[in-house]
């Protein structure tokens, strides 16, 4: 029986990039993921452009594509909805701009499927990774954030916010109900709680190309991430641990 993998693409006003993303991703999966029963889910979180129309057309045209919509904005909320509503053995997500080279997908999925790890994450901060076109400012902020959360929580992973992750169904089932954040901090919260509760995380070096048209407000996101870290540090992590132990 083949392993079912669901690949989620969170989107917010991505009418330009979305068709290219789905075409490139589905072509890759047809060629490289034929040992999986794979599917693509477009997870819209509050788009106001033509993203919804394009997504619905893609889901009607392509058997491999499904579409869901959350009216409230937030990447974390979109991922929670998609990972909760669909059945799969392995779940994944990647950014719609495909900044992370797709060559990492099969390797990451195979590591999770074989039990080498529970969560495989793309990393721009480990040996062997290659980062193209990123400004010194964004790189500096990313490394400072990495130092901050590793100092606060003594976790092993370095890059929490790379938009490329693969996770097995067990941590999805157990962790999603206790993850508080529905925005960009969702990734960091998921990974910290996962590792602190015994799940094994493996970082995969990736080829990552910066999107010069990224809509992310890096300073605003960084401030929200810091507030999320403080919440976890002072009471959120203990609360999550209690809820997990009571399951």
């Amino acid at each position: 029986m083949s392993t079912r993998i669901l690949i989620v693409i969170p989107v917010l006003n991505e009418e330009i990039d979305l068709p290219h993303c789905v075409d490139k991703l589905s072509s890759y999966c047809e060629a490289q993921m034929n040992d999986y029963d794979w599917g693509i889910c477009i997870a819209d979180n509050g788009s106001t452009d033509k993203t919804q129309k394009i997504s619905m057309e893609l889901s009607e045209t392509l058997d491999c594509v499904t579409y869901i919509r959350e009216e409230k904005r937030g990447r974390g909320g979109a991922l929670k909805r998609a990972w909760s509503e669909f059945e799969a053995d392995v779940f994944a997500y990647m950014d719609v701009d495909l900044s992370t080279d797709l060559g990492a997908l099969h390797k990451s999925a195979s590591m999770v499927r074989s039990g080498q790890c529970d969560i495989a994450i793309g990393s721009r901060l480990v040996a062997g990774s290659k980062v193209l076109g990123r400004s010194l400012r964004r790189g500096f902020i990313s490394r400072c954030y990495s130092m901050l959360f590793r100092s606060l929580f003594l976790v092993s992973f370095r890059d929490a916010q790379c938009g490329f992750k693969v996770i097995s169904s067990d941590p999805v089932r157990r962790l999603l109900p206790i993850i508080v954040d529905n925005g960009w901090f969702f990734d960091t919260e998921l990974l910290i709680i996962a590792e602190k509760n015994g799940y094994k995380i493996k970082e995969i070096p990736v080829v990552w190309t910066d999107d010069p048209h990224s809509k992310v407000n890096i300073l605003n996101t960084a401030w929200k991430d810091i507030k999320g870290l403080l919440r976890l540090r002072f009471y959120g992590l203990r609360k999550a641990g209690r809820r997990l132990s009571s399951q």
Side-chain angles (χ1 to χ4, degrees), residues 173-175 177-178 193 197 199 237-247:
R173 177 183 57 81
R174 296 191 66 215
L175 299 181
I178 65 175
I193 292 175
N197 286 279
Y199 289 106
L237 188 58
R238 291 192 299 273
K239 183 177 180 180
R242 289 194 298 268
R243 290 187 62 183
L244 277 173
S245 63
S246 67
Q247 288 181 1

Side-chain angles (χ1 to χ4, degrees), residues 89-149:
D89 303 296
V90 177
F91 295 89
Y93 96 81
M94 59 188 63
D95 291 336
V96 68
D97 58 16
L98 298 181
S99 291
T100 302
D101 185 80
L102 286 174
L105 179 57
H106 192 277
K107 178 181 179 181
S108 300
S110 296
M111 293 181 69
V112 171
R113 179 172 64 173
S114 67
Q116 294 180 56
C117 61
D118 300 294
I119 307 173
I121 63 176
S123 178
R124 299 158 293 189
L125 301 177
V126 295
S129 62
K130 183 181 293 186
V131 178
L132 306 174
R134 195 173 215 201
S135 68
L136 292 176
R137 173 173 169 267
R138 289 175 71 93
F140 175 75
I141 292 173
S142 179
R143 290 181 182 278
C144 287
Y145 181 62
S146 176
M147 290 177 62
L148 178 60
F149 71 71

